[in-house]
Amino acid sequence: MSGGGLRERKKARTRETILREAFRLFRERGYNATTVDQIAEAAEVSPATFFRYFPTKEDLVARDAFPPLIEALRAQPPGPPVAVLRGAFRTAFASLSAEEIAAGHAREVFATTVPELLAANLRRSPGVLREVTQILADRTGSDTDDPRIRNVVGAVFGVVAVVWLQWAQDPGMDGPAEVDMALAHLESGLSL
Amino acid sequence: MSGGGLRERKKARTRETILREAFRLFRERGYNATTVDQIAEAAEVSPATFFRYFPTKEDLVARDAFPPLIEALRAQPPGPPVAVLRGAFRTAFASLSAEEIAAGHAREVFATTVPELLAANLRRSPGVLREVTQILADRTGSDTDDPRIRNVVGAVFGVVAVVWLQWAQDPGMDGPAEVDMALAHLESGLSL
DNA sequence: TCCCTTATGAGAGTACACCCTCATATTTGT
DNA sequence: ACAAATATGAGGGTGTACTCTCATAAGGGA
């Protein structure tokens, strides 16, 4: 990871500096109130350079589509779809270090706090939803647009989203554990 | 409703003209590619006047938080939460005319297509979720932050959202009916 | 009819994301 | 050590949402 020439390392460091300073400023004065010029100045690069690293300001916060989930989903043993998805979430979280989860959470807090960022993230959600739906359909041998699969995916992600929202507001919460419990609840038919 | 002085009527007409022309332009050239100046010109008002009617461009598309749902929810007979929510959706849709549903759908298509608008709509979603959660908690006599209620709300809205997304892409679909079927499926434990 | 309130237009002005160009500095391969 | 490739800075430029001010016009009540 630390390999590559000096150029690569400098680029990576610049990139991290920009990210770090940007999030610091976001935290201090909010996303909208922070201008690109301010971020550039704090990171000691020119505004032009900022845009060479991040095409848009939103890209600072756009995260990748949680690839571990897809991978974990493929590796799940057979079972009812909700259980399979629950297992996938569990496996995916287990594959991350505590630091990774914490970092992801910090970013997530922004993403759920600032609507513009939420939208930037959501922009790629349909793709994830489709992919998950596709995998589940393949596994169960049903059609891709089987409404039942669609409903399962919707319900699961709805539950996860709601836990996520709550986690963003209550940092003391154990997010992954809470997700698992919530999915167990869904699995058992949302009983009271 | 058509009462009031001439002033009121003119204002209402101006407002509708702006909305109509704006959506026409959006349809023709897209949301981002349509400037406020163009909308103002098409509606034959000055740009300044545009902003007197709509504080921001996004407000053209921001819809109210589907008030019929809240109302219908309060009026539901007692029962398990998922069934109550399902009934609320059914009642809410029934209270709307076909035109209203179609208009809402058209607007929805924009809202799911253009990220900026998605953000504008999402901005009020947490409020709706909280309100629905609150009502359900009151009805069942449980605490507002009872995870079970939270999970139910998440699952229901997740399912509805997924149907909604599909509806936005397939205008031939009977949205309300599909929502009802999907919620019935959820109610029965997402069986395959 | 006269006055008061309010809506509008005109137009200049601001803020900020994002682009372009070109000169300079830094790194890499030879 | 040198040349080619590339990263950066400086700084000017653009588009567009949104604001402000002020003069004019239009509606409403007496």
Side-chain angles (χ1 to χ4, degrees), chain A residues 1-18 20 43-45 49 53:
Chain A
M1 273 298 156
S2 73
L6 175 54
R7 251 190 168 105
E8 303 302 318
R9 268 175 287 153
K10 278 186 102 167
K11 271 175 85 168
R13 211 183 42 191
T14 302
R15 191 187 157 82
E16 272 161 36
T17 305
I18 293 176
R20 178 166 28 85
E44 295 181 309
V45 296
T49 298
Y53 280 85

Side-chain angles (χ1 to χ4, degrees), chain B residues 59-107:
Chain B
D59 285 330
L60 285 168
V61 185
R63 57 176 172 156
D64 319 331
F66 201 24
L69 178 67
I70 302 294
E71 198 183 330
L73 180 56
R74 293 190 200 277
Q76 287 303 303
V82 179
V84 169
L85 275 170
R86 180 182 167 211
F89 271 104
R90 193 202 297 256
T91 309
F93 279 126
S95 77
L96 298 177
S97 70
E99 289 79 26
E100 285 172 318
I101 290 182
H105 177 249
R107 197 169 281 203

Side-chain angles (χ1 to χ4, degrees), chain B residues 34 46-47 54 82 104 119 132 187:
Chain B
T34 304
S46 77
F54 299 93
V82 179
V132 169
E187 209 180 333

Side-chain angles (χ1 to χ4, degrees), chain A residues 94-151:
Chain A
S95 78
L96 297 177
S97 70
E99 289 79 26
E100 285 172 317
I101 291 182
H105 177 250
R107 196 169 284 202
E108 211 65 36
V109 169
F110 275 107
T112 56
T113 299
V114 182
E116 288 80 359
L117 304 184
L118 186 51
N121 281 332
L122 244 47
R123 200 179 319 209
R124 29 201 110 182
S125 298
V128 178
L129 289 183
R130 243 194 308 279
E131 193 166 6
V132 169
T133 305
Q134 178 69 54
I135 295 176
L136 278 183
D138 288 350
R139 289 176 59 104
T140 59
S142 39
D143 210 35
T144 312
D145 47 1
D146 183 335
R148 293 169 309 176
I149 303 287
R150 177 202 68 192
N151 294 341

